């Protein structure tokens, strides 16, 4: 019962944590935070499969592995001091906004609560 990752190291499925199951409260919270409808059988199966896949990272041996500074292996990351080169252009920047209020951008509302359902977990996909 082994899987192979991209580095050809074997993942021992017996050492993985128990399979995560998603309950109705967790689904309701995820839907409220993400505004994504996932309270159906396929959505829950996909979420559980993603968690199971991610659990494999617990077996990756990172001994003697330095933290990554840049994704470019052959090119060092160019570091420079932050210096303000322009300024006092608030009015020019706010001209780009379609709606402003008290010298701030007005963005669409964020997490809008979904309508509560009688059964937070339902079997059929909505069409």
């Amino acid at each position: 019962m082994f899987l192979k990752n991209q580095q050809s190291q074997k993942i021992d499925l017996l050492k993985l944590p128990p399979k995560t199951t998603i309950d109705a409260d967790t689904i309701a919270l995820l839907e409220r935070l993400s505004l994504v409808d996932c309270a159906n059988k396929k959505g829950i199966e996909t979420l559980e499969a993603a968690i199971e896949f991610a659990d494999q990272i617990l077996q990756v041996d990172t001994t003697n592995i330095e933290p990554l500074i840049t994704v470019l292996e052959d090119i060092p990351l160019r570091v420079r001091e932050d210096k303000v080169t322009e300024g006092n252009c608030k009015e020019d920047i706010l001209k780009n906004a379609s709606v402003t209020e008290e010298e701030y951008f007005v963005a669409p509302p964020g997490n809008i609560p979904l309508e509560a359902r009688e059964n937070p977990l339902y079997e059929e996909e909505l069409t």
Side-chain angles (χ1 to χ4, degrees), residues 88-107:
N88 203 18
C89 54
K90 176 175 56 174
E91 291 175 10
D92 292 334
I93 293 171
L94 289 173
K95 287 178 186 176
N96 295 313
S98 56
V99 181
T100 61
E101 185 175 317
E102 296 181 6
E103 301 178 352
Y104 291 97
F105 284 93
V106 177

Side-chain angles (χ1 to χ4, degrees), residues 42-63:
K42 184 172 175 24
I44 293 169
E45 287 173 356
T46 301
L47 183 58
E48 289 176 348
I51 293 169
E52 186 176 5
F53 179 76
D55 281 341
Q56 295 178 37
I57 200 167
L58 298 172
Q59 292 189 29
V60 174
D61 181 14
T62 58
T63 306

Side-chain angles (χ1 to χ4, degrees), residues 4-23:
K4 286 190 175 184
N5 65 14
Q6 292 179 4
Q7 298 287 334
S8 297
Q9 295 175 343
K10 294 181 179 179
I11 300 295
D12 185 351
L13 298 179
L14 298 175
K15 291 183 180 177
L16 292 177
K19 184 177 178 183
T20 302
T21 55
I22 310 296
D23 62 6

